[in-house]
Amino acid sequence: EPEVTQTPSHQVTQMGQEVILRCVPISNHLYFYWYRQILGQKVEFLVSFYNNEISEKSEIFDDQFSVERPDGSNFTLKIRSTKLEDSAMYFCASSSLAGASETQYFGPGTRLLVL
Amino acid sequence: QKEVEQDPGPLSVPEGAIVSLNCTYSNSAFQYFMWYRQYSRKGPELLMYTYSSGNKEDGRFTAQVDKSSKYISLFIRDSQPSDSATYLCAMSGWSSSASKIIFGSGTRLSIRP
């Protein structure tokens, strides 16, 4: 069964460093998402992406964050200058079609720890 | 008022019991209602999906949506220890473009053998 994959599974970084989290969405999917989950809190939407453009972003997704689809398979989330409060689990998701009716499939997540 | 409210639990029941999980929401624009299951340190996995009000059954799982009360439920019959996980209610509104999902905080469920 096709699945979303994410690398690395764990990342530890120093405050102020840049990190890039990588995702390989399901191959025929066209819509991509990033969510995050701070320990003990709810899963929160960060950004959605389609046709090489951001479709929607949340208030959390400020200028420190960026997303990119550098090739036909990868989808990345970059945090330019990490802060302690960026420590969280980051989930990538993808869906085949647009619209709220389309199921989003989630990856296993990257656990980011900022020291 | 939070957009989606869910009792975080934990909820512990004996094997074989019927489990009832619930969420309330405030945004009447939500049209699609989902239940995800999340095991520890894993990504959310879609369990059930319903559109608008009504019931949907899939094996031991039944999802109910009451839009007039802004209340959704998930029932698990004949619960098994393997059902032990965190259950997230989730919802989204009508959109023709990539749509964000709004999650509840999750209910931690433990099924005792």
Side-chain angles (χ1 to χ4, degrees):
Chain A
E1 187 176 322
E3 58 184 16
V4 177
T5 59
Q6 290 185 242
T7 54
S9 58
H10 294 78
Q11 173 106 38
V12 180
T13 190
Q14 296 290 324
M15 190 170 57
Q17 295 297 303
E18 175 184 285
V19 295
I20 297 176
L21 309 182
R22 292 182 167 81
C23 169
V24 178
I26 294 173
S27 63
N28 63 343
H29 285 186
L30 300 175
Y31 299 85
F32 313 114
Y33 312 82
W34 284 101
Y35 292 80
R36 80 170 185 191
Q37 186 176 30
I38 294 171
L39 187 64
Q41 298 187 25
K42 61 174 63 177
V43 177
E44 300 174 290
F45 169 79
L46 291 179
V47 66
S48 58
F49 189 87
Y50 168 68
N51 199 25
N52 284 319
E53 287 185 347
I54 290 174
S55 300
E56 187 176 1
K57 59 184 181 180
S58 70
E59 292 175 355
I60 304 166
F61 194 89
D62 62 22
D63 291 344
Q64 292 300 312
F65 290 88
S66 62
V67 289
E68 192 178 32
R69 189 151 162 82
D71 54 43
S73 59
N74 288 284
F75 178 51
T76 61
L77 174 69
K78 182 194 289 187
I79 309 175
R80 287 191 186 83
S81 178
T82 49
K83 302 189 273 288
L84 295 176
E85 55 265 36
D86 294 327
S87 296
M89 195 78 164
Y90 288 81
F91 295 107
C92 173
S94 68
S95 63
S96 57
L97 295 172
S101 61
E102 294 306 317
T103 300
Q104 293 181 24
Y105 294 87
F106 283 75
T110 292
R111 183 169 296 279
L112 176 65
L113 178 61
V114 182
L115 301 176
Chain B
Q1 185 183 14
K2 290 182 182 175
E3 212 166 13
V4 179
E5 299 217 41
Q6 183 176 9
D7 186 338
L11 179 63
S12 178
V13 301
E15 183 175 354
I18 296 175
V19 176
S20 171
L21 305 169
N22 312 291
C23 284
T24 59
Y25 64 96
S26 58
N27 189 345
S28 57
F30 289 139
Q31 298 284 339
Y32 299 92
F33 304 92
M34 294 148 277
W35 285 94
Y36 281 82
R37 179 172 60 195
Q38 186 177 25
Y39 292 111
S40 181
R41 297 176 181 264
K42 302 288 186 187
E45 169 198 8
L46 182 67
L47 263 183
M48 298 284 289
Y49 171 98
T50 46
Y51 169 68
S52 198
S53 283
N55 293 1
K56 184 174 183 180
E57 191 172 316
D58 183 2
R60 297 185 295 111
F61 298 89
T62 300
Q64 281 186 355
V65 174
D66 181 348
K67 289 189 71 180
S68 62
S69 303
K70 296 191 177 68
Y71 188 86
I72 71 170
S73 302
L74 177 72
F75 298 96
I76 307 174
R77 290 184 299 282
D78 187 25
S79 55
Q80 305 293 311
S82 58
D83 295 328
S84 298
T86 296
Y87 289 79
L88 312 173
C89 64
M91 41 203 84
S92 59
W94 177 259
S95 172
S96 60
S97 63
S99 287
K100 65 183 179 185
I101 293 175
I102 306 299
F103 285 89
S105 55
T107 299
R108 195 150 32 109
L109 173 66
S110 174
I111 310 296
R112 306 188 302 269

